[in-house]
């Protein structure tokens, strides 16, 4: 403190100048980063965050039939609504049918009860027959399902502007008409199955990658220089080869009349071709093949720096080989193993192309559902909700990874 | 990993088990890639051995204007544009990130490389919705923007790693001799970090050339790329022309492997020279 107080004014201005120069350098550095930062924020972070919005956004019915949406929002859902509700529905279906906007609302209603879409479209076609009150009887006369309270509750659930149905449906739940949350009907409880399957496939792919990849990385790291380079190239070539090319190779090899089956038949190991493709076996084989380099390379990078003298020292101090490996070698490889595992697991959670080409109907993962909903059925809400489910699964794994690496560091130095 | 002379029986068993697993692993990795290549030269249309004879007929199918050459053209347009934009933006950002500290720098770095950590299908979905609203679905520009998002983290990581070994005194020297910052960058910094920048560019190029999931979401028939045509071909009808295009791509990855190894070897050499 006293030193600072004694500083001459000239020094202080020098200090201020220095600080100003540093600030300018910081600003310049930030300005260099700014274009990319802006780009990533607008084109990547924004769209990812917008998935949250699309998973609850529910504007369709209210856009097409605004007054119906208002009326059912106020209706308590206990008994069939009154004449004014029926009158509004008749009027708005008539208008929407003429404007050709009714299909969007009908599609939304169909998410609640399947068959609702065709019911609305048919009502639209015949709506000219209704000429005056009482609208309730007339509408039920067109289609008696208009007298079923379940359909009115479906309209209430679709009234928007926001809904939790997609997020709940992604975990096999639904909101009942009275506001309580319960299990969805059996034909819609498929999403938890997909989630479990996605994790299960990823888990087995990871297990195989560790079982094969750990010894491979060990061999590359500990063998002679010449052989090590060749073996590393054998890992790097597939790593650099296109994912689709490698998937194509497996499609060719695993076919019923493919190389693998022909070889097995030729060698007399089987009498008839095995089914190796369009099932789980094929998916595991191809996914392990594609992801194995992602485990081997980080492991090798860590193992390369572990001196062989350490294991020898442990052995000379009386440690049995297994004990020396477990207490001296393995802990030092954990950061590389952790990095490799998290990479393989996260990549496999998001796999889409390989299961789509090599798997059967029961081998598809969450990504497949997202693609189906987004590009085939155009159900943005459901696609977003499942994407959020997948994103949360991936995010949940990062603390595990950090804990693993920190645990490894503690193990080494503690 | 040689076995000591006084190894026990158990150690022998372990040693050979390990070798066996490794042999299986390396064969498994390289086998499929090696086995499919000769099939592309088959005279027949079966995708198995023994080959009925040698012919280039499947390569003739590949050089037909549609679909493969059309897909190749699109792939190259998109990949080259992606590479130029991603390399420029990524190098600039990496330079800024290593040049000086600013508040929130670790967070910014994390954000810039976050496209690597998000499953591709989620990125694809977000981009699809975004492009649908701004009218970029089924356009070349949309596909290029999407690929820049996916490719730019590789450039940032590679160039940042190269800049870690960079001697900033050289820039100070240039500036003290009167070079303006831009001149100092292009005449001093860039030539020295060029191997890293080129390695990043190769990563960006491959990322775009190999990308399929985002392409399936945001592109249309006019933006047919090689991976999309491969995907369609594999789903509908697998014939040896697919194997022929796969073989060409395998040869291409072999070239890339050598190029990247050389570049990394050069930039590593630069780093170690500096450490000496």
């Amino acid at each position: 403190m006293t030193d600072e107080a004694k500083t001459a004014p000239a020094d202080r201005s020098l200090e201020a100048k220095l600080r100003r120069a540093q600030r300018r350098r910081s600003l310049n550095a930030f300005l260099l980063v700014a274009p990319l930062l802006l780009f990533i924020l607008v084109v990547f972070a924004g769209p990812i965050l917008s998935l949250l919005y699309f998973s609850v956004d529910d504007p369709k019915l209210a856009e097409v039939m605004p007054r119906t949406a208002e009326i059912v929002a106020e209706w308590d859902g206990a008994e069939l609504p009154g004449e004014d509700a029926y009158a509004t529905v008749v009027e708005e279906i008539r208008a929407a049918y003429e404007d050709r906007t009714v299909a969007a609302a009908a599609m939304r209603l169909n998410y609640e009860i399947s068959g609702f879409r065709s019911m609305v479209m048919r009502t639209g076609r015949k709506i000219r027959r209704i000429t005056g009150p009482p609208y309730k009887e007339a509408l039920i006369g067109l289609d008696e399902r208009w007298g079923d309270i379940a359909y009115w509750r479906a309209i209430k659930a679709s009234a928007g502007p926001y809904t939790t149905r997609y997020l709940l449906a992604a975990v096999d739940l639904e909101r009942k008409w009275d506001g309580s949350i319960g299990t969805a009907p059996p034909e819609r409880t498929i999403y938890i199955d997909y989630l479990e399957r996605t994790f299960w496939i990823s888990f087995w792919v990871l297990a195989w990658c560790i079982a094969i990849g750990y010894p491979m990385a060990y061999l590359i790291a500990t063998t002679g220089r010449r052989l090590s380079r060749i073996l590393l190239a054998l890992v790097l070539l597939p790593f650099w080869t296109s994912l689709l090319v490698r998937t194509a190779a497996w499609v060719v090899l695993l076919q019923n009349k493919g190389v693998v089956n022909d070889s097995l038949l030729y060698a007399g190991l089987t009498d008839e071709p095995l089914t190796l493709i369009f099932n789980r076996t094929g998916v595991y084989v191809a996914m392990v093949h594609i992801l194995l380099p992602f485990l081997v390379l980080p492991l090798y990078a860590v193992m390369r720096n572990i001196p062989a003298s350490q294991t020898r020292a442990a052995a000379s101090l009386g440690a049995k080989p297994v004990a020396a490996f477990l207490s001296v070698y393995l802990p030092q490889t954990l950061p590389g193993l952790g990095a490799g595992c998290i990479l393989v697991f996260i990549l496999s959670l998001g796999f889409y192309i390989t299961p789509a080409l090599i798997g059967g109907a029961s081998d598809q993962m969450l990504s497949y559902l997202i693609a189906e909903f987004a590009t085939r059925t155009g159900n943005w809400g459901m696609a977003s909700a499942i994407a959020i489910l997948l994103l949360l699964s991936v995010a949940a794994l990062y603390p595990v990874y950090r804990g693993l690496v920190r645990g490894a560091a503690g193990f080494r130095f503690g | 990993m040689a076995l000591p002379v006084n190894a026990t029986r158990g150690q022998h068993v372990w040693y050979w088990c390990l070798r066996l697993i490794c042999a299986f692993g390396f064969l498994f990795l390289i086998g499929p890639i090696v086995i499919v290549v000769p099939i592309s030269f088959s005279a027949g249309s079966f995708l198995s051995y023994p080959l009925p004879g040698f012919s280039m007929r499947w390569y003739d199918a590949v050089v037909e204007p549609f679909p493969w050459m059309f897909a190749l053209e699109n792939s190259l347009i998109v990949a080259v544009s992606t590479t130029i934009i991603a390399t420029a933006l990524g190098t600039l950002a990496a330079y800024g990130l290593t040049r000086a500290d600013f508040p929130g720098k670790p967070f910014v770095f994390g954000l810039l490389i976050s496209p690597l950590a998000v499953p591709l299908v989620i990125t694809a979905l977000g981009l699809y919705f975004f492009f649908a609203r701004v009218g970029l679905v089924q356009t070349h520009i949309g596909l290029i923007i999407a690929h820049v998002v996916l490719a730019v983290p590789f450039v940032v990581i590679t160039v940042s790693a190269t800049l870690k070994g960079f001697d900033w005194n050289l820039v100070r020297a240039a500036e003290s001799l009167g070079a303006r910052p831009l001149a100092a960058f292009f005449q001093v910094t860039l030539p020295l970090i060029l191997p890293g920048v080129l390695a990043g560019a190769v990563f960006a190029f491959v990322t775009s050339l190999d990308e399929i999931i985002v392409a399936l979401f945001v592109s249309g028939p006019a933006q047919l790329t090689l991976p999309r045509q491969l995907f369609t071909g594999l789903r509908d009808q697998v014939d040896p022309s697919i194997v022929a295009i796969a073989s060409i791509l395998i040869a291409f990855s072999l070239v890339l492997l050598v190029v990247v190894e050389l570049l990394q070897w050069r930039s590593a050499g630069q780093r170690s020279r500096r450490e000496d």
Side-chain angles (χ1 to χ4, degrees):
Chain A
M1 272 316 250
T2 45
D3 278 352
E4 247 175 64
K6 269 187 258 167
T7 323
D11 286 351
R12 216 177 301 153
S13 83
L14 193 66
E15 208 180 297
K17 260 188 195 159
L18 187 68
R19 219 177 304 136
R20 216 169 29 236
Q22 266 168 356
R23 255 206 308 276
R24 205 172 50 227
R25 259 167 49 105
S26 285
L27 184 68
N28 280 342
F30 181 75
L31 285 179
L32 290 174
V33 183
L36 183 58
L37 184 62
L38 192 70
F39 178 78
I40 291 288
L41 282 177
V42 172
V43 185
F44 179 73
I48 298 282
L49 286 177
S50 78
L51 295 180
L52 280 173
Y53 173 76
F54 284 117
S55 69
V56 294
D57 186 34
D58 191 16
K60 286 277 162 56
L61 188 84
E63 261 168 35
V64 179
M65 301 166 68
R67 286 191 22 244
T68 308
E70 266 171 46
I71 288 177
V72 293
E74 279 163 29
W75 173 56
D76 67 356
E79 282 169 40
L80 271 182
E83 173 71 13
D84 57 336
Y86 279 91
T88 313
V89 164
V90 168
E91 189 187 319
E92 289 196 320
I93 286 185
R94 195 194 308 270
Y97 190 78
E98 277 166 16
D99 296 346
R100 294 162 189 252
T101 54
V102 75
M107 189 65 149
R108 170 63 186 89
L109 291 170
N110 206 58
Y111 295 159
E112 300 291 331
I113 300 177
S114 83
F116 210 153
R117 200 189 82 87
S118 56
M119 171 179 154
V120 171
M121 296 312 280
R122 214 175 59 197
T123 307
R125 270 197 306 278
K126 296 186 192 163
I127 203 90
R128 263 174 296 142
R129 293 189 205 164
I130 302 179
T131 48
Y135 290 107
K136 188 169 184 171
E137 275 165 40
L139 200 55
I140 295 172
L142 275 190
D143 191 316
E144 60 185 15
R145 281 176 290 181
W146 283 112
D148 182 346
I149 194 162
Y151 286 82
W152 283 95
R153 285 172 183 161
I155 298 177
K156 187 175 165 66
S158 320
Y162 299 106
T163 181
T164 50
R165 75 161 282 114
Y166 302 118
L167 287 172
L168 288 173
V171 287
D172 288 356
L173 296 175
E174 69 172 14
R175 192 177 286 277
K176 308 274 190 248
W177 68 272
D178 57 359
S180 65
I181 291 171
T183 319
E187 73 271 14
R188 283 192 212 141
T189 52
I190 57 166
Y191 303 108
I192 293 286
D193 276 356
Y194 269 88
L195 182 68
E196 276 175 9
R197 186 189 301 152
T198 304
F199 267 81
W200 197 237
I201 291 178
S202 303
F203 171 78
W204 278 113
V205 167
L206 178 61
W208 276 103
C209 282
I210 296 172
I212 307 172
Y214 198 94
M216 286 169 75
Y218 180 73
L219 183 67
I220 302 175
T222 54
T223 192
R225 214 187 148 96
R226 212 6 150 17
L227 184 62
S228 162
R229 287 190 79 103
I230 296 172
L231 293 180
L232 196 60
L234 292 186
V235 179
L236 283 170
L237 180 61
F239 181 74
W240 278 101
T241 304
S242 156
L243 179 143
L244 265 164
V245 167
R246 286 188 277 166
T247 305
W250 284 111
V251 171
V252 169
L253 290 180
L254 296 178
Q255 284 182 92
N256 282 349
K257 288 183 177 172
V259 176
V260 172
N261 264 319
D262 280 1
S263 315
L264 289 175
L265 287 171
Y266 183 75
L269 292 173
T270 54
D271 295 331
E272 52 190 87
L274 303 174
T275 314
L276 299 168
I277 197 168
F278 306 128
N279 61 18
R280 200 61 66 84
T281 315
V283 173
Y284 283 144
V285 168
M287 280 181 72
V288 171
H289 182 254
I290 288 164
L291 292 169
L292 193 52
F294 290 95
L295 190 92
V296 173
L297 294 175
L299 254 182
Y300 162 70
V302 169
M303 286 176 169
R304 193 174 51 170
N305 296 321
I306 301 175
S309 53
Q310 289 189 355
T311 323
R312 281 206 298 276
S316 79
L317 291 171
K320 292 239 164 62
V322 177
F325 173 77
L326 287 180
S327 60
V328 176
Y329 197 81
L330 181 69
Q332 301 197 61
T333 62
L334 282 186
L337 187 63
C341 286
I342 206 79
L343 209 55
V344 168
F345 200 78
I346 285 179
L347 283 173
S348 57
L349 281 182
F351 252 57
Y352 167 55
I353 298 298
T354 307
L357 289 174
I358 294 191
S362 60
D363 308 308
Q364 302 306 318
M365 300 162 75
L366 281 180
S367 299
Y368 171 82
L369 279 183
I370 296 174
E372 281 291 293
F373 277 122
T375 57
R376 198 160 301 175
T377 57
N379 187 342
W380 288 22
M382 211 54 224
S384 303
I386 298 170
I388 288 166
L389 187 66
L390 181 58
L391 197 59
L392 288 179
S393 313
V394 171
L397 289 169
Y398 277 100
V400 176
Y401 165 66
R402 288 238 298 280
L404 202 67
V405 171
R406 203 178 303 133
F411 202 79
R412 202 190 319 173
F413 301 115
Chain B
M1 193 176 102
L3 210 54
V5 266
N6 58 349
T8 61
R9 185 102 126 304
Q11 273 173 302
H12 271 286
V13 172
W14 263 112
Y15 178 80
W16 287 110
C17 271
L18 216 70
R19 293 257 150 158
L20 207 66
I21 295 174
C22 288
F24 169 78
F26 286 109
L27 272 180
F28 174 67
L29 267 186
I30 207 73
I33 296 175
V34 175
I35 289 171
V36 294
V37 175
I39 295 178
S40 66
F41 295 104
S42 168
S45 51
F46 287 116
L47 295 164
S48 187
Y49 291 92
L51 301 175
F54 175 89
S55 102
M56 295 291 284
R57 60 188 276 217
W58 303 110
Y59 285 88
D60 292 341
V62 165
V63 297
E64 290 285 314
F66 194 87
W68 293 110
M69 283 300 116
F70 176 66
L72 177 69
E73 192 190 326
N74 276 323
S75 275
L76 287 180
I77 292 172
V78 173
V80 169
S81 317
T82 300
T83 307
I84 293 170
I85 301 170
T87 310
L89 281 177
T91 305
L92 213 60
Y95 190 74
L97 283 167
T98 33
R99 186 76 217 259
D101 280 329
F102 53 83
K105 197 168 92 164
F107 175 75
V108 169
F109 183 75
L111 192 68
L112 295 186
I113 63 165
S114 61
L116 286 183
V118 174
L120 277 173
V121 73
I122 295 178
T123 310
L125 187 69
L127 284 168
Y128 174 59
F129 291 167
F130 177 62
F131 286 173
R133 275 175 300 163
V134 296
L136 284 172
V137 172
Q138 307 206 352
T139 61
H140 277 81
I141 295 176
L143 191 57
I144 292 167
I145 291 176
H147 281 183
V148 171
V149 171
L150 302 177
V152 91
F154 291 109
V155 181
V156 172
I157 290 173
T158 322
V159 178
S160 299
T162 312
L163 280 169
K164 282 215 179 88
F166 181 72
D167 187 353
W168 291 100
N169 284 325
L170 296 172
V171 178
R172 287 191 200 106
E175 282 174 350
S176 78
L177 291 171
R180 302 180 67 84
L182 213 61
F185 177 77
F186 278 106
Q187 289 176 16
V188 178
T189 317
L190 190 60
L192 284 169
I193 61 166
L194 199 60
V197 174
L198 288 179
V202 172
F203 270 111
F205 187 77
V206 174
T207 304
S208 170
L209 198 69
D210 196 15
E211 205 289 321
I212 164 94
I213 297 183
V214 174
L216 284 176
F217 275 71
V218 306
S219 67
Q223 292 84 39
L224 184 75
T225 58
L226 279 183
R228 271 190 51 199
Q229 181 55 29
L230 269 170
F231 183 74
T232 315
L234 284 172
R235 209 177 32 188
D236 302 341
Q237 162 100 56
V238 189
D239 69 43
S241 69
I242 285 182
V243 183
I245 200 92
S247 306
I248 295 170
L249 289 174
I250 290 169
F252 181 66
S253 9
L254 201 60
V255 173
L256 280 180
L257 170 65
V258 174
V259 169
V260 169
E261 285 303 295
L262 284 178
L263 287 174
Q264 285 183 340
W265 181 65
R266 273 202 60 179
S267 64
Q270 194 186 338
R271 264 207 296 281
S272 64
R273 268 204 303 282
R274 166 140 169 68
E275 277 154 17
D276 282 346

